[in-house]
Amino acid sequence: MTEAILDRTDAAASAEDAGVRPWSGATRVTFRFGFLYFGLFCLAYPSIVPEFLGLTREWLPDWVNYGAARALRPVVEGVGTRVFGASVAANTASISGDQAYFWVLVFVVLVAAVFGTLLWSVLDRQRPHYRAVQPWFLLFVRLCLAGQLVSYGMAKAVPTQMPPTPLSRLLEPYGNFSPMAVLWNHIGVSPQYEILLGSAELLAGVLLFVPRTALVGAMLALVCTTQVVVLDMTYDVPAKILSFHLMLLCLVLLVPEAGRLANALVLDRPTGPSTTPPLLHSPRARRIAAAAQIALGVWLVFSNAYTGWERWNEEGAGRPEPPLYGIWAVTDFSVDGKPLPPLSTDQLRWQKVVFDRDGATVQRMDGQLVPVLAMVDPGARTLVMAAPPTAVGGGPQPLGSFGFDRPAPERLTLTGTLAGQPVSVALTSVALEDFPLRSRGFHWVQEYPYFR
């Protein structure tokens, strides 16, 4: 069984020994451009090649993880200033993959690939084909694509990429959601759906690591990446550059097999052996190379599973709920012993307070939701609130400090100071089951659609 997985037939080698026709000029130029463009992109884009480091990425300095991208920074920023007349310094505080910096990086790679193709075509115009280089290029593309699919697939299979809907979002008017937030909460509200999406991406990545199943993996990967491109484009997700290039990498892998796929799927003809030459000529060498690829895949699956599970328990829904977890409605708000009426124009009084795993949120009387930092000490029964930093490197700004009492699970009393004034706040918990988004669940039998 193992030998059947690792070994490849010698049909491709036999075809090569029998002689092949030279490639057309257009095919050779296309190969040169694809080799340079996709090779440079995979090396330069910061999240592709470093993915192979797996767990070791956490222990290595940034210059190892992002060496190529860091080395190109002067070039990219210079091109942004001189060609586009704009500052395109990379925003390291953002996780957006569609920053102006990355668009200029793609432009630099494209220009380098075009000029490199012209020079290569002039200097090497007599070469009839690139069959010796082709399998190594396809291997590089396949592994880069597989690594990304394993990474993103595991982030959904262990559902951390789209976490469950935060409690504060239950109070947010739907019209205030950005398109990306709609998508994230749409998927996050159903972890089963997210796991299925991730499992498909993960399966495609695993199949790509095994030479015998790589073609099936590329086909599945094309379906997965195309869906991601459509979602990124229609929901304005800032990962368009990467998702679009991953879809192109799928096509790069499938184009050499286009004729065989057409014969099998459309024309109902025999497919025949692959015309792509083998990576190595010796069967034993091919088995060793296949085993190395599978081992790399195992390493990446293990690394991403480990970090995903760790993230789930430390940052995701696997964490324990905080002591005051829930949505609390304010029933009484007194300042210096005098009750404040619930007026929508009051800037001090609260309407609700939300304590979630990722922090807290105060809903003002006008409905505005204000994120705050909440430090709760259950033993001392104290609560300290602060405003999040407004700038990188800045510190939180104190808002108020309270002692709290919880005479019943559904009741909470805060006594302390807010904005320098003595306050007393009485709150009642809001039943989370009152929100259909959390309580509706699944039903086999429905006489009428539950649509609200």
Side-chain angles (χ1 to χ4, degrees):
M1 180 67 179
T2 304
E3 187 169 319
I5 294 176
L6 300 181
D7 203 3
R8 294 183 57 186
T9 66
D10 294 332
S14 300
E16 186 175 52
D17 294 338
V20 293
R21 290 181 297 177
W23 291 0
S24 67
T27 300
R28 282 176 285 158
V29 171
T30 301
F31 177 83
R32 293 165 188 150
F33 174 79
F35 181 91
L36 292 174
Y37 180 79
F38 292 109
L40 289 173
F41 178 83
C42 291
L43 291 173
Y45 200 83
S47 67
I48 297 181
V49 172
E51 181 63 36
F52 297 118
L53 295 173
L55 288 175
T56 63
R57 294 183 66 177
E58 300 179 8
W59 310 321
L60 296 174
D62 286 345
W63 66 266
V64 176
N65 287 315
Y66 308 108
R70 185 182 294 272
L72 288 174
R73 178 174 292 181
V75 177
V76 174
E77 294 179 351
V79 169
T81 301
R82 292 176 174 80
V83 177
F84 297 98
S87 174
V88 295
N91 184 2
T92 56
S94 171
I95 61 172
S96 170
D98 288 343
Q99 297 179 38
Y101 178 90
F102 294 115
W103 284 108
V104 176
L105 174 64
V106 171
F107 175 78
V108 170
V109 170
L110 177 62
V111 171
V114 169
F115 280 99
T117 300
L118 293 174
L119 182 61
W120 189 358
S121 298
V122 170
L123 298 178
D124 201 29
R125 59 184 179 275
Q126 299 300 326
R127 190 178 298 276
H129 55 72
Y130 294 97
R131 289 177 58 81
V133 180
Q134 181 189 13
W136 292 97
F137 170 62
L138 294 178
L139 173 64
F140 175 73
V141 167
R142 176 160 60 84
L143 294 181
C144 289
L145 175 62
Q148 292 300 292
L149 287 169
V150 167
S151 174
Y152 281 97
M154 192 64 76
K156 298 182 185 73
V158 181
T160 54
Q161 185 178 3
M162 287 87 167
T165 303
L167 297 182
S168 59
R169 285 293 193 182
L170 299 176
L171 306 177
E172 185 88 15
Y174 188 75
N176 290 350
F177 281 46
S178 68
M180 180 178 173
V182 170
L183 175 64
W184 245 243
N185 286 279
H186 153 65
I187 297 177
V189 78
S190 175
Q192 299 87 350
Y193 179 59
E194 182 176 0
I195 291 171
L196 287 174
L197 290 177
S199 298
E201 295 178 358
L202 183 60
L203 176 61
V206 170
L207 292 174
L208 283 167
F209 276 112
V210 182
R212 295 279 290 185
T213 59
L215 181 57
V216 177
M219 295 170 66
L220 178 57
L222 180 61
V223 175
C224 294
T225 55
T226 300
Q227 182 203 31
V228 174
V229 169
V230 171
L231 292 176
D232 288 352
M233 296 295 291
T234 55
Y235 285 88
D236 195 31
V237 180
K240 306 173 191 71
I241 294 175
L242 180 59
S243 63
F244 180 70
H245 280 80
L246 293 180
M247 184 181 70
L248 292 180
L249 293 183
C250 296
L251 295 175
V252 168
L253 295 175
L254 292 173
V255 163
E257 307 295 339
R260 299 176 67 227
L261 291 173
N263 286 336
L265 302 176
V266 181
L267 303 176
D268 194 22
R269 297 174 179 172
T271 60
S274 174
T275 58
T276 302
L279 187 69
L280 299 165
H281 293 287
S282 164
R284 182 172 182 272
R286 289 199 294 271
R287 286 195 293 270
I288 294 174
Q293 295 169 52
I294 295 172
L296 178 61
V298 171
W299 161 248
L300 289 187
V301 169
F302 168 76
S303 295
N304 282 279
Y306 181 87
T307 56
W309 185 250
E310 190 176 55
R311 190 178 300 117
W312 164 264
N313 287 290
E314 295 180 0
E315 304 172 18
R319 292 171 294 171
E321 296 175 351
L324 302 179
Y325 179 82
I327 300 175
W328 297 86
V330 175
T331 57
D332 182 76
F333 195 102
S334 300
V335 178
D336 202 12
K338 300 178 180 180
L340 283 183
L343 302 177
S344 60
T345 56
D346 197 300
Q347 297 296 311
L348 182 65
R349 197 185 194 281
W350 300 337
Q351 183 179 156
K352 290 184 177 71
V353 182
V354 180
F355 295 98
D356 210 343
R357 290 184 176 91
D358 290 320
T361 303
V362 169
Q363 185 179 38
R364 293 176 173 171
M365 293 305 300
D366 60 2
Q368 181 183 0
L369 295 167
V370 181
V372 297
L373 302 176
M375 286 69 74
V376 180
D377 187 338
R381 292 184 173 271
T382 59
L383 166 66
V384 177
M385 286 187 174
T390 56
V392 178
Q397 300 297 318
L399 294 177
S401 59
F402 310 89
F404 70 84
D405 184 32
R406 196 169 181 179
E410 70 280 1
R411 293 174 56 200
L412 179 67
T413 301
L414 304 179
T415 304
T417 58
L418 177 65
Q421 301 184 63
V423 299
S424 176
V425 186
L427 307 99
T428 302
S429 65
V430 176
L432 299 181
E433 292 73 21
D434 291 346
F435 296 94
L437 196 61
R438 289 182 62 98
S439 61
R440 172 60 181 168
F442 175 81
H443 298 78
W444 283 109
V445 178
Q446 298 187 59
E447 301 299 336
Y448 297 95
Y450 187 80
F451 188 86
R452 54 172 298 180

